[in-house]
Amino acid sequence: MNGVSVEGATHKQVVDLIRAGEKELVLAVLSVPAQEADGLEGGDEVQITYDYSDKQAVPISIPTYKHVEQHSERFVVYNVYMSGRQLCSKRYREFAILHQNLKREFSNFNFPKLPGKWPFSLSEQQLDARRRGLEEYLERVCSVRVVGESDIMQEFLSESDENYNGVTDVELRIALPDKTTISVRVRKNSTTDQVYQALVMKVGMDSIMASYFALFEVINHSFVRKLVPNEFPHKLYVQNYTSAVPGTCLALRKWLFSFQEEELLRDNPLALHYCFHQALEDVKKGFIKTEDKSYQLQKLAEQRKMATYLSLLRTCKGYNEVAFPHCSCDSRRKGHVITAISIHHFKLHACTEDGTLENQVIAFEWAEMQRWDTDEEGMAFCFEYARGEKKPRWVKIFTPYFNYMHECFERVFCELKWRKQVEEETSDKDNKNCSNNEYLPPLETQQKGWRHLGGEIATS
């Protein structure tokens, strides 16, 4: 459809493709042999064919089990882990139900056997043997991608275990900008805000620093997404079998576009440390283009002159900029766009459908933006802009990260508003000082203003 294979696509994905094509819809229909065609006629239910050859390495394990007493009943739960982090705890009978549900859905797949059920109480040695058997079962089943990523398996691994004593708390490992990780213990159903507050306390961030950082999900090597306040970080573990960061898909990162705001963090050793190491990683990945400053920056980094390094790096292209994966846009009939958001502008860079950059680049000044919104059903971010005397025009960008794009817009405009307020306050104070023949260092005045406004930023 429109040059994109829709084999295995969901209904919603097909609808999104149709919408992205606007008035043009090109369908390529594949013919089938007469024998197969006969099997499709007659109104009988069509047998779904799955590809069981697509395998994946899944670091799933059941390292421990636990005796539980609940409502006068004693039983054992097996603790399921993924990459060293706990996902859930399940009774044997829940594994049996999972097995039956999977066999019903994937009827032509040869599933491994579950460990046998015993009518008598099991010894510790027998329980451990069952644990190993259940672990082997999950390893083999989840290694088949279509089975491991099925809704049945996802629900099994993320199902609430709050009725089991002592298993509602989980350890979440979070990657820090300096490539270390830290663990926080929270309730399994904790929201992003609650997890972030636990992290802030564990790391020792003050309220000002906390307002300039946030929790992100590592999508892949080149893109991270800021979590929204009401998400459940623990559930992301189930959806991320593999991750760009070993052992966790959660990361603490700077959440800031304004250079002036960041300057205020230079007196905070921890904030400076994190900003420096995040900058090093962004340069390494090519997000920031150092060009002719590369040698000078390398020397500053080796000498650990963090403040000077960051000050020079802010003059480079791509600093404090969020670039999104390429996606379709209704302003282009063919090809995709790569969107980039910075404190300076909102940029659309034309590219092919496989992400290869083209020459055309459109940069919108923030003053040109009139309105912006999200289209939940169409999975798109929409904005209206006006240039000169021309009539305002709406543009729609089809991306699964439309909510994050919207939040970036909101953040940029908040920071621009703060900057304007600080400039006005500074100007008023300067005028007063001049009239009273008093002198107040501009930097000190500006810093106090920024700090006051920065403290009002939401910490999620």
Side-chain angles (χ1 to χ4, degrees):
M1 179 181 293
N2 287 354
V4 179
S5 173
V6 294
E7 182 180 359
T10 64
H11 173 72
K12 184 168 184 56
Q13 289 171 329
V14 174
V15 171
D16 290 342
L17 272 175
I18 295 174
R19 285 178 174 153
E22 293 186 328
K23 298 179 181 179
E24 182 178 318
L25 180 61
V26 179
L27 296 178
V29 181
L30 303 179
S31 63
V32 296
Q35 297 89 336
E36 292 187 27
D38 292 339
L40 298 176
E41 296 175 355
D44 295 333
E45 184 176 346
V46 179
Q47 179 70 40
I48 300 176
T49 302
Y50 293 106
D51 178 13
Y52 300 121
S53 64
D54 187 7
K55 300 296 182 69
Q56 60 181 356
V58 180
I60 194 167
S61 63
I62 305 178
T64 59
Y65 60 86
K66 180 174 180 172
H67 294 275
V68 174
E69 184 170 353
Q70 188 179 73
H71 307 308
S72 302
E73 180 187 10
R74 290 180 58 84
F75 52 90
V76 173
V77 293
Y78 297 88
N79 303 318
V80 182
Y81 281 70
M82 186 78 72
S83 297
R85 59 213 180 209
Q86 185 174 355
L87 295 180
C88 57
S89 298
K90 300 290 181 182
R91 299 181 65 168
Y92 174 84
R93 69 185 185 190
E94 291 177 280
F95 281 91
I97 293 172
L98 168 70
H99 184 59
Q100 293 303 318
N101 289 340
L102 289 175
K103 286 173 65 178
R104 190 178 301 113
E105 176 66 22
F106 306 99
S107 57
N108 57 345
F109 179 71
N110 186 23
F111 280 92
K113 290 184 178 181
L114 274 178
K117 183 173 178 61
W118 290 78
F120 312 108
S121 297
L122 301 181
S123 66
E124 293 299 318
Q125 185 177 358
Q126 290 170 321
L127 285 172
D128 192 62
R130 174 178 281 184
R131 175 195 64 77
R132 292 196 303 271
L134 293 174
E135 180 179 78
E136 183 180 353
Y137 174 84
L138 284 183
E139 285 177 345
R140 292 178 61 184
V141 169
C142 290
S143 68
V144 181
R145 187 178 298 276
V146 69
V147 180
E149 295 182 356
S150 66
D151 291 341
I152 296 173
M153 182 60 74
Q154 297 282 310
E155 183 178 354
F156 174 80
L157 294 176
S158 61
E159 199 171 52
S160 172
D161 303 310
E162 293 196 17
N163 291 329
Y164 299 154
N165 296 335
V167 297
T168 54
D169 286 352
V170 293
E171 291 276 346
L172 296 185
R173 281 212 295 268
I174 300 170
L176 302 179
D178 59 3
K179 293 187 177 182
T180 63
T181 59
I182 193 169
S183 295
V184 293
R185 190 163 189 83
V186 294
R187 303 281 290 182
K188 176 181 281 190
N189 60 351
S190 293
T191 63
T192 301
D193 275 348
Q194 293 167 332
V195 173
Y196 186 64
Q197 290 301 327
L199 176 64
V200 166
M201 294 181 64
K202 186 76 176 281
V203 172
M205 289 190 278
D206 59 34
S207 60
I208 295 175
M209 178 180 170
S211 66
Y212 298 133
F213 286 80
L215 274 180
F216 287 78
E217 177 193 7
V218 180
I219 304 297
N220 52 45
H221 178 73
S222 60
F223 185 67
V224 295
R225 174 189 69 89
K226 182 180 177 294
L227 302 187
V228 296
N230 59 351
E231 272 189 273
F232 300 103
H234 180 261
K235 286 191 175 182
L236 293 175
Y237 282 155
V238 180
Q239 301 163 6
N240 287 271
Y241 287 140
T242 57
S243 171
V245 178
T248 183
C249 61
L250 299 177
L252 175 72
R253 289 181 63 86
K254 183 176 59 179
W255 175 230
L256 185 61
F257 291 93
S258 168
F259 296 178
Q260 291 93 332
E261 281 276 285
E262 187 176 311
E263 276 285 344
L264 301 177
L265 296 175
R266 68 182 185 275
D267 294 329
N268 184 318
L270 183 60
L272 182 63
H273 175 76
Y274 284 168
C275 288
F276 172 70
H277 282 279
Q278 181 173 323
L280 287 177
E281 189 68 15
D282 288 348
V283 169
K284 181 180 178 181
K285 291 181 177 180
F287 300 159
I288 305 174
K289 310 300 181 184
T290 57
E291 298 176 343
D292 59 336
K293 301 182 179 69
S294 179
Y295 179 77
Q296 188 177 357
L297 286 166
Q298 183 180 347
K299 288 300 179 183
L300 289 173
E302 292 172 355
Q303 297 167 6
R304 281 299 187 265
K305 295 182 177 180
M306 294 184 285
T308 309
Y309 176 89
L310 290 171
S311 181
L312 179 60
L313 195 63
R314 292 186 192 107
T315 65
C316 297
K317 183 180 178 181
Y319 191 84
N320 278 7
E321 181 177 87
V322 176
F324 288 79
H326 66 90
C327 59
S328 59
C329 175
D330 67 355
S331 64
R332 297 201 75 200
R333 295 191 64 182
K334 293 183 179 179
H336 283 184
V337 295
I338 294 177
T339 60
I341 299 176
S342 71
I343 197 68
H344 306 298
H345 49 239
F346 176 57
K347 187 169 60 178
L348 297 181
H349 197 145
C351 65
T352 61
E353 291 183 357
D354 64 1
T356 304
L357 291 177
E358 297 177 341
N359 293 328
Q360 186 181 8
V361 179
I362 302 176
F364 300 93
E365 300 299 325
W366 292 115
E368 296 174 336
M369 294 296 170
Q370 306 295 303
R371 292 179 292 174
W372 54 92
D373 204 350
T374 57
D375 177 2
E376 297 281 343
E377 185 177 351
M379 296 183 65
F381 174 73
C382 321
F383 66 94
E384 184 187 48
Y385 72 97
R387 284 183 167 173
E389 301 298 323
K390 294 182 179 179
K391 184 179 179 181
R393 179 187 172 187
W394 278 97
V395 176
K396 184 175 284 191
I397 301 171
F398 299 93
T399 170
Y401 308 110
F402 59 94
N403 281 323
Y404 179 33
M405 197 172 290
H406 183 272
E407 192 169 5
C408 287
F409 259 59
E410 295 286 327
R411 179 77 177 199
V412 166
F413 273 91
C414 281
E415 292 184 15
L416 290 173
K417 181 180 178 181
W418 300 332
R419 184 166 67 184
K420 183 178 179 181
Q421 290 176 351
V422 169
E423 289 172 352
E424 290 174 350
E425 289 177 8
T426 304
S427 178
D428 290 342
K429 289 181 180 179
D430 285 345
N431 291 336
K432 265 186 199 175
N433 293 335
C434 287
S435 63
N436 296 329
N437 292 322
E438 295 177 356
Y439 174 72
L440 182 65
L443 181 59
E444 182 181 349
T445 306
Q446 185 179 10
Q447 186 166 344
K448 288 182 178 178
W450 276 112
R451 285 189 181 276
H452 171 70
L453 292 166
E456 296 175 357
I457 307 173
T459 58
S460 63

